[in-house]
Amino acid sequence: MKCGKFAEGEATLRMKITLEEGKQDPVAYRVRYVPHPKSGNKWCIYPTYDFTHCLCDSIEDITHSLCTKEFQSRRSSYYWLCEAVETYIPVQWEYGRLNVSYTVVSKRKIAKLIDDKIVNDWDDPRLFTLPALRRRGFPSKAINEFCVRMGITGAQITVDPAMIEACVRDCLNAEAPRTMVVINPIRVFIENLSPDQPTFFQVPDFPVTPISPTHQIAFERIIYIERDDFKEKADKGYKRFALDQPVGLRYAGLVLTVTQVIEEKGSIVELRARCEDVNKAAKPKAFIHWVAKPIPIQVRQYERLFNHKNPEDKAEVPNGFLSDCNLNSLKIENALGDAYLESAKIFNQYQFERLGYFSVDPDSKPSQLVFNRTVSLKEDIGKN
């Protein structure tokens, strides 16, 4: 076999054993005339899983080999081969496979997604591989907590991604410093502020913590707010900025009132406003976030990779999982961030106030930081 005397399928090397399921003499080596990714054409015989799994575990001094239930029938060959070659025998334990809705966890299917350019690589943040979760910003502590909450069972179960996202929020709420970012900005010119006296504020990294580290933010007569935070006419229940409705600026201690709306081609490009001390003005219905002297950043927002809960179910998705991909699972936007973010490092995590939790992506460059949205905030996205 090693010398290439047999064609593929003509000869195999088998192990003399009857498996638990009744299968006899499982294959240990077979002939394959295909190049190996590392050794090229040096070998034409390749070992099977039954032959390599137990020996690799033994060589690497693995104490317990944890497998999913489909490998339970291989346990007898696992122990038999180690005994036959008189080597150390690890313990094989089986448990139920954990599936996650709206994604696939099969290595073969993930490889197909990569080959078809649906995702970029094994660390694409839309996947549920460990490199992908790390890149998206999931802390290892949160993943461990999720595993503890789920426990180990012999039954195969499927969970909603919301379960692991809840663990991530709990972790990042305590560990991710707050900052302000505007994703879809409107320029606001404050008429009654002096252009020669920019102001700086010290704001807390964790506003709800009594003793919190702080960072400095700038404030001047030109600021930027979210486009969604302004309406020319306030609807019933709307509490933010409008022509007839002042709004407070978070951390600044000021209340803004619109004096003029400037439009170009039917789109608002600038608001003119006047400010008043919050202690002297009527109490506003809401406070919004803002940025001044911002830096440009890129924000990548991720949605579920598949449209259906179980993309592998032929009854639910008759044309196969590839036909169920969400074409809008990635949205890339250019945003404005507080200058405090200039010192951010790869994988640093932040809460962008009122927007969500974000992590610095390895694609970041000195000229432009890139942030991946890890998870959204708990608050209802439709909140007024």
Side-chain angles (χ1 to χ4, degrees):
M1 289 170 64
K2 178 182 176 183
C3 296
K5 301 290 186 180
F6 298 98
E8 290 188 16
E10 273 190 343
T12 57
L13 176 66
R14 294 177 175 271
M15 295 181 280
K16 192 71 174 176
I17 180 180
T18 301
L19 297 179
E20 295 170 3
E21 60 182 13
K23 182 179 178 182
Q24 291 187 318
D25 305 337
V27 174
Y29 267 88
R30 75 279 201 203
V31 177
R32 291 292 308 278
Y33 292 105
V34 293
H36 189 272
K38 292 185 178 179
S39 57
N41 295 313
K42 183 178 180 181
W43 300 91
C44 63
I45 55 172
Y46 287 88
T48 62
Y49 172 88
D50 286 321
F51 186 83
T52 56
H53 182 203
C54 58
L55 296 183
C56 286
D57 286 348
S58 180
I59 292 168
E60 295 172 0
D61 291 324
I62 300 298
T63 59
H64 293 76
S65 179
L66 304 179
C67 310
T68 47
K69 292 290 285 186
E70 60 262 35
F71 295 101
Q72 186 169 353
S73 61
R74 295 297 207 272
R75 192 195 300 169
S76 53
S77 67
Y78 187 99
Y79 292 146
W80 180 88
L81 184 57
C82 288
E83 289 177 352
V85 300
E86 299 181 346
T87 187
Y88 158 69
I89 306 174
V91 176
Q92 176 173 309
W93 280 354
E94 303 86 15
Y95 56 92
R97 174 175 167 175
L98 174 64
N99 295 309
V100 182
S101 300
Y102 301 102
T103 190
V104 294
V105 293
S106 160
K107 292 189 289 291
R108 178 177 58 83
K109 290 178 179 176
I110 292 174
K112 183 64 175 172
L113 290 171
I114 296 170
D115 291 342
D116 287 8
K117 310 293 185 186
I118 295 170
V119 297
N120 297 320
D121 210 335
W122 292 90
D123 66 346
D124 189 296
R126 289 167 287 185
L127 297 173
F128 271 76
T129 63
L130 286 177
L133 295 180
R134 181 172 186 250
R135 184 171 183 178
R136 186 162 174 173
F138 282 33
S140 57
K141 184 189 298 186
I143 297 173
N144 289 334
E145 175 61 23
F146 169 71
C147 293
V148 169
R149 292 185 188 182
M150 294 305 303
I152 296 177
T153 175
Q156 180 169 303
I157 58 176
T158 301
V159 301
D160 193 278
M163 294 190 68
I164 188 170
E165 289 174 358
C167 296
V168 172
R169 286 191 189 93
D170 290 344
C171 182
L172 293 181
N173 185 52
E175 298 182 357
R178 278 52 166 173
T179 188
M180 294 192 289
V181 168
V182 173
I183 293 181
N184 190 10
I186 293 182
R187 172 184 160 116
V188 178
F189 182 85
I190 304 174
E191 297 172 331
N192 59 333
L193 275 185
S194 169
D196 302 322
Q197 295 180 341
T199 305
F200 295 92
F201 302 114
Q202 289 295 130
V203 301
D205 293 344
F206 303 93
V208 298
T209 304
I211 302 176
S212 167
T214 62
H215 63 273
Q216 183 175 269
I217 62 172
F219 181 75
E220 61 174 1
R221 68 191 312 190
I222 297 174
I223 64 171
Y224 298 87
I225 65 170
E226 288 286 354
R227 189 168 294 272
D228 289 344
D229 282 338
F230 177 77
K231 287 185 177 181
E232 292 193 66
K233 184 177 181 180
D235 301 328
K236 183 179 179 181
Y238 179 80
K239 298 179 181 178
R240 288 165 286 162
F241 209 13
L243 276 173
D244 57 350
Q245 185 165 279
V247 74
L249 293 180
R250 188 155 170 79
Y251 301 121
L254 297 172
V255 176
L256 288 187
T257 302
V258 178
T259 59
Q260 183 183 359
V261 177
I262 301 174
E263 297 185 8
E264 288 183 7
K265 299 179 180 179
S267 177
I268 299 173
V269 295
E270 182 176 291
L271 301 175
R272 294 293 178 112
R274 296 184 66 82
C275 68
E276 188 177 1
D277 190 292
V278 69
N279 296 315
K280 299 177 181 178
K283 184 179 179 180
K285 293 183 178 180
F287 285 80
I288 61 174
H289 69 284
W290 50 274
V291 291
K293 293 188 175 180
I295 61 171
I297 63 173
Q298 185 184 97
V299 172
R300 298 174 181 176
Q301 304 202 60
Y302 299 95
E303 302 296 340
R304 290 167 174 165
L305 185 55
F306 294 95
N307 295 314
H308 288 83
K309 191 173 184 178
N310 185 3
E312 299 173 272
D313 186 350
K314 287 290 185 180
E316 198 172 340
V317 187
N319 294 324
F321 75 101
L322 291 177
S323 68
D324 193 47
C325 292
N326 176 11
L327 301 179
N328 299 312
S329 59
L330 170 60
K331 185 179 182 181
I332 299 176
E333 297 179 290
N334 293 318
L336 298 176
D338 191 88
Y340 159 66
L341 291 171
E342 281 184 316
S343 60
K345 307 298 182 186
I346 303 300
F347 297 128
N348 280 175
Q349 295 151 329
Y350 298 90
Q351 184 195 112
F352 292 175
E353 296 204 30
R354 300 175 64 229
L355 299 177
Y357 294 99
F358 291 77
S359 176
V360 183
D361 189 82
D363 286 345
S364 295
K365 301 176 182 178
S367 58
Q368 186 178 56
L369 290 168
V370 178
F371 289 87
N372 294 322
R373 187 177 70 179
T374 306
V375 288
S376 59
L377 296 176
K378 283 185 179 180
E379 284 84 350
D380 179 6
I381 59 173
K383 184 177 179 180
N384 288 312

